[in-house]
Amino acid sequence: MQQDNYEIKSGGLELLSIVQPLWEKLNLFHQNKSNYFNNMFKNNSFDKRKNGLIEKSKDSQFLIEIIFFNKIAIGYCISSITKKTGE
């Protein structure tokens, strides 16, 4: 495996549209695997998550990192920090 095929892109909330399909696949995975919280995942949507992040961004700083393999997004990390907490 060549490392040249990997790229990491960093930014802010403008990257959420790239995160969406990855988030939806992860949410579906958790929904199918969870014995106790599958309804929570089933009732969750990316729009709810996105709106929550946008609201939270008013008091936080965000960093979104997306890893690409052969120009295809394969993973992401969303980090936030306020004066009191980090996530």
Side-chain angles (χ1 to χ4, degrees):
M1 213 178 342
Q2 292 180 328
Q3 284 189 322
D4 296 342
N5 295 331
Y6 289 96
E7 177 188 356
I8 296 175
K9 187 173 190 176
S10 298
L13 296 176
E14 73 278 1
L15 296 178
L16 284 175
S17 61
I18 299 171
V19 168
Q20 182 173 357
L22 297 170
W23 183 93
E24 290 171 342
K25 287 179 186 177
L26 181 62
N27 191 62
L28 183 60
F29 173 81
H30 286 300
Q31 178 186 332
N32 291 331
K33 292 292 182 183
S34 177
N35 292 325
Y36 304 104
F37 301 104
N38 58 350
N39 281 333
M40 181 185 77
F41 293 109
K42 184 177 183 177
N43 294 324
N44 207 359
S45 71
F46 186 75
D47 283 338
K48 287 180 188 176
R49 179 67 173 141
K50 179 180 175 180
N51 291 336
L53 289 171
I54 290 170
E55 183 64 30
K56 192 176 185 181
S57 73
K58 295 174 184 174
D59 298 322
S60 304
Q61 292 182 337
F62 275 84
L63 174 64
I64 297 176
E65 294 185 304
I66 303 173
I67 187 164
F68 295 85
F69 178 70
N70 290 333
K71 301 188 187 277
I72 298 170
I74 61 169
Y76 70 94
C77 180
I78 300 176
S79 304
S80 66
I81 189 164
T82 65
K83 292 181 181 180
K84 297 180 181 181
T85 60
E87 178 183 354

